[in-house]
Amino acid sequence: MRPTHRRLAATAAGLVLLPVALVGCGIGGGDTKAEPTPKPARAPAEEAAARSRERVQAYLDAMTAKDVAAGRSQLCALLHDGFDLGATGPNGDFADHFQVPEAAITDIRSGPLGQEVSVSVSVTSGKRTVTRPLVFTVTRDGSDWCIAGEAPTGPPGAEAPPTGVAPTPAS
């Protein structure tokens, strides 16, 4: 084969392959619309913190509104019976004689049993208002997140705040 024929054959092969190469690079190829790139999923720790915050905030909102059903729905299924027995009792989170004028999330961190969400809750009974720190343990139960425990925090001997959720066992 002469050099002219080789160049002609190479050019013809290049022209035949050019459309295939351009379509593979996204150039040409008709009206195919590019799929929008999906947003990257949140990191597992970020997701856990966000879900834990949502659950605890919903529980705090339910306490403030005295909405027992909404509070119960934030808890893991294993806590429902205990919650039903104690939530509206004399020391329960939803007791009629307690008012919750203020409740705020102060910290979220990973703990040995799940996400630990620290809160500050002001409770009024009559003319007396007491602010107590609590920690809620939030965990994943199947595909959903739920509150698995509530415990008072603070100095030893501090009066325990009202609670309608089983405390998280101390380690």
Side-chain angles (χ1 to χ4, degrees), residues 66-99:
K66 297 288 187 203
D67 187 344
V68 178
R72 184 180 197 266
S73 71
Q74 303 311 312
L75 305 177
C76 295
L78 291 173
L79 299 179
H80 287 181
D81 290 341
F83 176 81
D84 293 343
L85 292 172
T88 58
N91 290 322
D93 287 348
F94 295 84
D96 288 334
H97 59 281
F98 290 129
Q99 296 301 315

Side-chain angles (χ1 to χ4, degrees), residues 44 47 51 76 113-115 138-146:
E47 177 75 14
R51 297 297 180 174
C76 295
L113 301 173
Q115 294 293 310
V138 181
T139 189
R140 197 166 193 154
D141 185 15
S143 65
D144 205 4
W145 292 84
C146 59

Side-chain angles (χ1 to χ4, degrees), residues 102-128:
E102 188 177 348
I105 295 172
T106 58
D107 188 34
I108 301 173
R109 64 182 63 190
S110 292
L113 301 173
Q115 294 293 310
E116 294 178 353
V117 182
S118 299
V119 301
S120 174
V121 178
S122 294
V123 179
T124 302
S125 180
K127 294 181 181 180
R128 185 173 174 218

